[in-house]
Amino acid sequence: MSLVPRIHVLSDGLINRIAAGEVVERPASVVKELVENSLDAEATKIEIDLVNGGRSRVRVSDDGCGMDADDAVLALERHATSKISTADELDHIATLGFRGEALPSIAAVSRFVLLTCADPAQGGVRVTVEGGRILGADGAARARGTTVEVGDLFFNTPARRKFLRSPETELRHAQEILWGAALARPDVAFVLRHGSRVLIDAPAVADASQRLKDLWRNADRVIAFGATAGEAVVRGLLAPGGGSGRPSLTLLVNGRAVRDRLVVGAVLRVLRSAGSGFGGARVVVDLRLPPDEVDVNVHPAKAEVRFSRSGSVFALIERAMREGVAASQGRVEVRSLEEGWPPRGMAEPQAGGYGEMIRGRQAAAGGGALFDHPAYGEVSIGTPAGDPWEGTTWRPEKDHPRVRSGARAGAADTPFGRLIGQYRNSFLLLEDDHGLVIVDQHVAHERVLFDQIRRRLAGGEAPSQGLLTPCLIEVDEAHAAALPGVDFILRKVGIEAELFGPETIRVLSVPPEFDEQAVKEVVEGVLDRATALDGVPENASQVLEEELAASLSCRGAIKVNHRLTIDEQRVLLDDLLATDNPYRCPHGRPIILRLSQEEMERRLGRR
Ligand code: ADP
Ligand code: MG
């Protein structure tokens, strides 16, 4: 396909379909637009030179298709683009740029020089623009490709110039943009210079994992993760930072670097529960979705997208990353995990698409060479026919007040390996291909209860059992007075309590899996916190709910020194696997310990 421009001016109707807005906000946005143009022009090497954080100069040079003299001038007209011509094409955008407004917008607020050449035999052209006015277009020598130089950004709009930050800050934004571009296109070489300093020198490579190492020299270890669900493919890389710095995320959606607050949230959640060593981590998430499931046209600089099934997308990312992290920590590899899609508790209205059922490995859809890494494809998330986890959600049973029993006697294995049994009535022992797996039964159960309580807090129905004889709690007056402020939270988890005199609280019903003593302690704890907070301010109720979930699950969980039948052990492991994070308890304590065969042999002097 020849990308030598056949430029035309967009129709008014089409212009109106395109969200209006300013493209140029700061030097980084100039970098972004120019680099995207170079990529669209099929450049194999892009060099970026910044002076003064880009405030004084941004120069982007490529070896792409270039433009002939006519097109070079036309390219500076608003809504001139070679990339789309009909409204229909707007829904199937494959190129990065498509609005035809970047060059004219940038040229309007800078001293601008475009030097380009499509065919060295015919020579190149240099177009000089100042504040949007074309000063001249002259023949000039150049190899095939394009150089755009943007000097004195906002020189003629002092109000906007005032909003620029320090050169260091502007440089950081520009670097961020280049990280996104460079990770999206490891097959293209990138060089970034700031003055005479070379900040990025990344040769073309075969995969993003190598690119990440070239970009980030701290990254000696890169963890790959991935998940597939029908046509939705998540692939990611994580370079643990070790420090306590802010983690940073590069999110690519269908090859485009974008920002998304919710994905950032999901990533941070995983890093936080992964424990120390993941502080200043660098994360790259590459998400592939069918084009009609993402809307890229919501932001003038195309920096944000809208997902048509966002909940499922976030859950898929979170799940994949959690498993990648867990596997890297050598704890448990959940092999051939088959998980319901959409994840449980999430309604998925449409049939078909990536809601369709898949089983086993799924080839990455449309991924090209990007992210080709042997570790990819390890995790495959799909919806097998007949949800294998059906019936494993917590349902309190009468015969055992705490751990659900029965149900799966026939199952030979557990998801964590072959169950050997219970050690000292406290730990479950399992073996798998790699060694020994030890599960702390108390913490495991705590995690199961925690997830369940959180689900209830999130709006589910809380089962509650009336007590034959209501349980009375003696408190002081301040605590009693705090009850009306928190009883709605208690009710959400199935505890019904009321005032019974100035210093007495009467508990009428409790969640079926908790005994009176546990409930008593938990109610006291919540009242303690509410009194300390002096009532429950709007924003504290969430904190209280989390605390309540954590303390209820801790108090309600089976303790050590508690015998479990083999069936109960199995059910606990199944339930554990179905939680958000089978590897850490709500307080961050590990649940599962692995002792690899290798380590055993080493310690026993066999190696
Ligand atoms: P858009 O990228 O949205 O089409 P731009 O204003 O960024 O709009 O660019 C206008 C046109 O100029 C592009 O459609 C393309 O034809 C041409 N162009 C811009 N930059 C380059 C480049 N680096 N190499 C070749 N052609 C380019
Ligand atoms: Mg463009």
Side-chain angles (χ1 to χ4, degrees), residues 5 7 33 37-38 40-41 62 65-67 75 80-83 97-104 146:
I7 296 183
E33 294 295 336
N37 280 349
S38 297
D40 284 344
D62 68 52
C65 65
M67 288 173 263
T81 181
S82 55
K83 297 166 192 170
F98 55 84
R99 290 165 202 276
E101 60 187 7
L103 291 188
T146 303

Side-chain angles (χ1 to χ4, degrees), residues 159-420:
R160 298 180 65 188
R161 193 175 178 84
K162 250 195 0 229
F163 280 100
L164 290 180
R165 299 301 173 82
S166 66
E168 297 73 45
T169 304
E170 295 301 340
L171 175 62
R172 206 155 29 75
H173 283 282
Q175 270 177 299
E176 201 61 36
I177 293 291
L178 286 168
W179 267 70
L183 284 160
R185 294 297 303 272
D187 59 321
V188 175
F190 284 85
V191 176
L192 167 65
R193 279 178 293 257
H194 188 233
S196 57
R197 253 185 340 133
V198 178
L199 299 178
I200 292 178
D201 187 359
V205 287
D207 64 57
S209 167
Q210 183 56 47
R211 173 55 55 88
L212 183 57
K213 289 177 190 157
D214 290 339
L215 288 175
W216 205 43
R217 292 159 206 143
N218 301 11
D220 51 340
R221 191 163 71 103
V222 173
I223 300 162
F225 56 89
T228 306
E231 288 178 74
V233 181
V234 173
R235 281 163 300 179
L237 297 169
L238 165 62
S244 56
R246 225 160 46 104
S248 73
L249 167 72
T250 303
L251 172 65
L252 308 172
V253 176
N254 291 349
R256 192 188 294 275
V258 297
R259 287 190 297 260
D260 189 285
R261 220 166 28 82
L262 295 171
V263 173
V264 169
V267 165
L268 286 179
R269 262 199 307 283
V270 177
L271 291 175
R272 224 178 288 130
S273 61
S276 59
F278 287 87
R282 267 278 172 189
V283 182
V284 187
V285 172
D286 176 39
L287 186 60
R288 303 273 157 174
L289 297 172
D292 57 343
E293 303 221 341
V294 238
D295 184 1
V296 294
N297 202 22
V298 294
H299 187 277
K302 296 153 270 151
E304 280 167 24
V305 293
R306 197 180 290 139
F307 302 108
S308 67
R309 301 194 236 180
S310 50
S312 306
V313 166
F314 306 141
L316 188 65
I317 292 174
E318 198 169 332
R319 186 90 208 192
M321 198 173 149
R322 267 192 211 294
E323 276 154 22
V325 167
S328 81
Q329 292 177 333
R331 284 178 284 113
V332 157
E333 291 163 56
V334 183
R335 277 157 299 120
S336 66
L337 172 73
E338 292 173 311
E339 157 75 359
W341 177 265
R344 269 191 297 129
M346 220 170 269
E348 201 72 51
Q350 296 134 287
Y354 60 90
E356 249 163 34
M357 304 193 300
I358 55 145
R359 213 183 242 286
R361 257 172 195 250
Q362 175 108 7
L370 180 62
F371 281 91
D372 279 344
H373 187 279
Y376 279 127
E378 290 295 330
V379 183
S380 179
I381 297 178
T383 309
D387 183 356
W389 309 119
E390 205 172 45
T392 60
T393 37
W394 179 271
R395 214 174 298 115
E397 283 195 10
K398 296 282 182 287
D399 57 339
H400 195 295
R402 295 189 167 176
V403 176
R404 190 161 53 91
S405 62
R408 324 199 100 214
D413 257 358
T414 79
F416 298 94
R418 198 186 70 77
L419 185 59
I420 299 171

Side-chain angles (χ1 to χ4, degrees), residues 467-481:
L467 294 170
L468 283 180
T469 28
C471 140
L472 298 182
I473 310 177
E474 300 298 327
V475 293
D476 64 26
E477 240 171 285
H479 281 65

Side-chain angles (χ1 to χ4, degrees), residues 39 61 128 144 152 156 218 226 244 379 424 445 452 474 557:
L39 290 171
S61 218
T128 313
R144 199 181 80 118
D152 296 330
N156 54 351
N218 301 11
S244 56
V379 183
R424 294 214 160 178
H445 194 207
Q452 183 204 354
E474 300 298 327

Side-chain angles (χ1 to χ4, degrees), residues 13-26:
L14 181 48
I15 290 166
N16 293 338
R17 275 199 59 189
I18 298 176
E22 291 288 354
V23 182
V24 196
E25 192 193 335
R26 60 188 344 151

